[in-house]
Amino acid sequence: MIAEVLIYVPSIANFRVNRLNDRLAAANTAALVLDAAPSGMVPDSLAKQILESIGARAVAIKMGQQRRLLAIADMPPAIDHDIDMREMTAWQAIIGAFETMLENGNEVMRIIGPAPHGGQFIEVVVDEAPLRKSMFRFSVNLLLVSLGIAIMTAALVYLALHYLFVRPMRRMTANLVAFHANPESVARIAVPSQRKDEIGVAERELADMQRDLVSMLHQKSHLAALGLAVSKINHDLRNLLASSQLLSDQLSSVPDPRVQRFAPKLMRSLERAIAFCQSTLSYGKAQEAPPDRRMIAIEPIVNEVRESAGLAADASIVWINAVERGLTVDADPDQLFRVLLNLVRNAAQALESQDVGEASPKQIRVAGRREGTVAIIQVSDTGPGVPAKAREHLFEAFQGSSRDGGTGLGLAIAAELVRAHGGDLNLVEGTIGATFRIAIPDRPVALHDHRNERARA
């Protein structure tokens, strides 16, 4: 509508100006004919025919100080409007056009313009009704043309919006509805187009999101099935371990020194296994209990990890204990044992996977130190290291395994247990083989409670 106004206003004003100029041009031609007559005498019948041909009532011209009436027919008693085309401005043309269209009578107007052959001006008297009628006809034609252009433009805009936006959005909506009905089906994943605009980006992101969601749902289904299987296995395994515990109790009464040496360790291992099975059956999943933290010495746990991993009697792998003497950590001893055992077993498996011909020595090094209130433990090996593919999901269950047959649960369990202590488990970059760094901070102690404990002591 704004475009129509901007187009129509100057168009109707220009149409009126052109019509008035046409009347002046016809009057100039008539003036030449009338002035060429012998002695300036033209029969009245011929004068009327000339005036009718140019649509005028009278034509006059001013030459010098003389004003000459060239022809006249049915001269009205009064002139309603004087229009001087010699000094017509754009604003006057617009105002005059709307004044002409808003009037409803048959007014008479006198048009003044430049005269031929050195005359000062020429005047022509015409009726306003024919001009108004032609202006209305021009307005209707312009309106029809504008409506046609608007309809065609609207159709093109509609088709453009339909093919560029509506159809892709309908396709995405239909895909979302179908995907919601069966989110685990790979066939329901959207197929993105090759568009480079925002719609194309939305299609590709939707496809990636659906692909990740399908993978996650498959993984969750796998975990649910695995959890059910583990619960069933643990139910029977707990009974078997209970029987083994009874047998280990009988071993404690055997007087053999070697039996007396290994029986307590065997009993502690069985107790840990039974407790873990019981927690799995209680929660329906491997949900870890909150750590029972206390200040403990690290060195006995490191020695027990070495014996449990079978490295005490393995001469092919060199064991290096670099733990500071008397180092303590504020942690749950059983959970810390599980963390170190998982890391040491991974290191041993990585060393065993090496080729026999490799010259580098097979070593596992456990180091420990204290940095202020944070206990730092590092487990490193001289194996092949962690592959780049496994680094992306190193501490995620079923994602971070780098060897055939591995489940990727060891590092996930270790990281979960360390986080439960408020610490971090990270892979140290730029080392030979693989080095894992455990950082466990001490718990803050309330000064008032500490003083009360000392007072009670």
Side-chain angles (χ1 to χ4, degrees):
M1 293 181 66
I2 294 175
E4 280 295 317
V5 171
L6 295 177
I7 293 173
Y8 175 73
V9 170
S11 298
I12 194 64
N14 186 64
F15 177 82
R16 177 175 175 270
V17 170
N18 290 336
R19 283 304 179 93
L20 295 178
N21 287 326
D22 291 342
R23 292 290 181 271
L24 287 175
N28 285 328
T29 304
L32 293 175
V33 174
L34 295 172
D35 189 55
S39 302
M41 299 300 294
V42 179
D44 292 340
S45 60
L46 180 59
K48 289 182 179 182
Q49 290 179 1
I50 294 175
L51 292 177
E52 288 178 358
S53 66
I54 65 174
R57 291 193 177 196
V59 176
I61 187 170
K62 185 177 182 182
M63 303 289 292
Q65 299 298 325
Q66 182 182 4
R67 192 172 185 180
R68 180 184 173 188
L69 184 62
L70 299 178
I72 186 171
D74 299 332
M75 190 64 183
I79 301 297
D80 298 307
H81 304 291
D82 286 331
I83 303 174
D84 191 350
M85 301 299 296
R86 297 171 299 176
E87 300 176 355
M88 178 71 68
T89 62
W91 179 250
Q92 290 175 347
I94 294 174
I95 297 298
F98 283 99
E99 287 179 350
T100 301
M101 294 186 66
L102 292 176
E103 292 177 354
N104 53 12
N106 188 15
E107 288 82 1
V108 178
M109 58 185 178
R110 178 171 55 191
I111 307 171
I112 305 172
H117 298 296
Q120 291 187 4
F121 58 85
I122 188 172
E123 299 174 321
V124 56
V125 179
V126 298
D127 293 330
E128 194 177 45
L131 176 60
R132 185 185 304 112
K133 184 177 180 181
S134 60
M135 291 176 66
F136 276 114
R137 185 166 54 249
F138 172 79
S139 301
V140 172
N141 293 335
L142 182 61
L143 177 61
L144 294 177
V145 172
S146 301
L147 287 177
I149 295 175
I151 292 173
M152 185 168 57
T153 304
L156 292 176
V157 171
Y158 171 78
L159 293 176
L161 293 176
H162 180 74
Y163 283 99
L164 293 177
F165 298 102
V166 177
R167 288 184 61 186
M169 292 304 296
R170 285 179 177 174
R171 187 167 59 249
M172 293 175 63
T173 303
N175 176 263
L176 287 173
V177 174
F179 185 79
H180 179 263
N182 187 8
E184 295 186 5
S185 176
V186 180
R188 303 294 177 90
I189 298 177
V191 179
S193 62
Q194 301 300 322
R195 295 176 57 162
K196 304 298 182 181
D197 56 0
E198 290 79 2
I199 296 294
V201 174
E203 291 176 345
R204 288 187 290 273
E205 292 297 328
L206 175 62
D208 294 340
M209 181 184 66
Q210 290 176 339
R211 196 175 296 108
D212 295 341
L213 185 58
V214 168
S215 176
M216 187 183 301
L217 290 176
H218 287 172
Q219 181 179 347
K220 294 296 183 182
S221 299
H222 175 68
L223 289 175
L226 182 62
L228 180 60
V230 168
S231 298
K232 294 178 180 179
I233 294 172
N234 281 339
H235 183 272
D236 296 334
L237 182 61
R238 183 189 59 174
N239 297 331
L240 296 175
L241 291 175
S243 300
S244 300
Q245 189 178 27
L246 293 176
L247 295 176
S248 64
D249 291 339
Q250 296 179 6
L251 288 176
S252 60
S253 60
V254 177
D256 190 336
R258 297 183 61 186
V259 174
Q260 292 296 326
R261 177 185 174 187
F262 291 108
K265 298 178 180 179
L266 177 60
M267 293 178 63
R268 285 197 299 271
S269 298
L270 291 175
E271 289 174 357
R272 289 194 183 101
I274 293 173
F276 182 70
C277 291
Q278 183 62 39
S279 65
T280 304
L281 290 175
S282 300
Y283 295 101
K285 55 182 179 180
Q287 179 178 355
E288 303 296 341
D292 182 15
R293 302 181 65 174
R294 55 185 180 271
M295 296 300 297
I296 56 175
I298 294 180
E299 191 169 359
I301 296 179
V302 172
N303 294 331
E304 188 176 0
V305 167
R306 180 188 180 188
E307 294 177 354
S308 300
L311 299 177
D314 191 350
S316 62
I317 298 177
V318 179
W319 177 269
I320 301 176
N321 188 345
V323 177
E324 292 180 355
R325 186 177 300 275
L327 178 64
T328 58
V329 59
D330 186 11
D332 186 319
D334 291 334
Q335 293 189 2
L336 183 60
F337 172 83
R338 291 173 58 191
V339 171
L340 294 176
L341 183 61
N342 279 320
L343 296 178
V344 170
R345 281 181 175 173
N346 287 344
Q349 291 170 357
L351 293 173
E352 291 172 356
S353 64
Q354 281 184 313
D355 297 333
V356 180
E358 294 185 5
S360 59
K362 298 180 179 182
Q363 295 180 357
I364 296 178
R365 185 175 185 271
V366 180
R369 66 184 185 278
R370 178 168 286 278
E371 296 180 359
T373 60
V374 180
I376 306 297
I377 306 172
Q378 287 187 341
V379 179
S380 57
D381 61 72
T382 58
V386 181
K389 183 179 180 181
R391 292 171 185 255
E392 299 177 359
H393 307 282
L394 190 60
F395 299 104
E396 297 180 15
F398 305 104
Q399 299 288 331
S401 178
S402 59
R403 59 184 179 85
D404 296 336
T407 61
L409 282 173
L411 290 177
I413 294 174
E416 181 182 355
L417 294 175
V418 173
R419 284 195 298 267
H421 287 76
D424 294 318
L425 173 61
N426 298 309
L427 176 65
V428 180
E429 302 290 344
T431 60
I432 300 176
T435 301
F436 288 90
R437 180 178 182 272
I438 304 171
I440 299 179
D442 295 342
R443 289 172 298 172
V445 178
L447 183 59
H448 182 267
D449 297 340
H450 182 65
R451 288 176 176 174
N452 290 338
E453 291 180 0
R454 292 186 60 182
R456 286 195 297 270

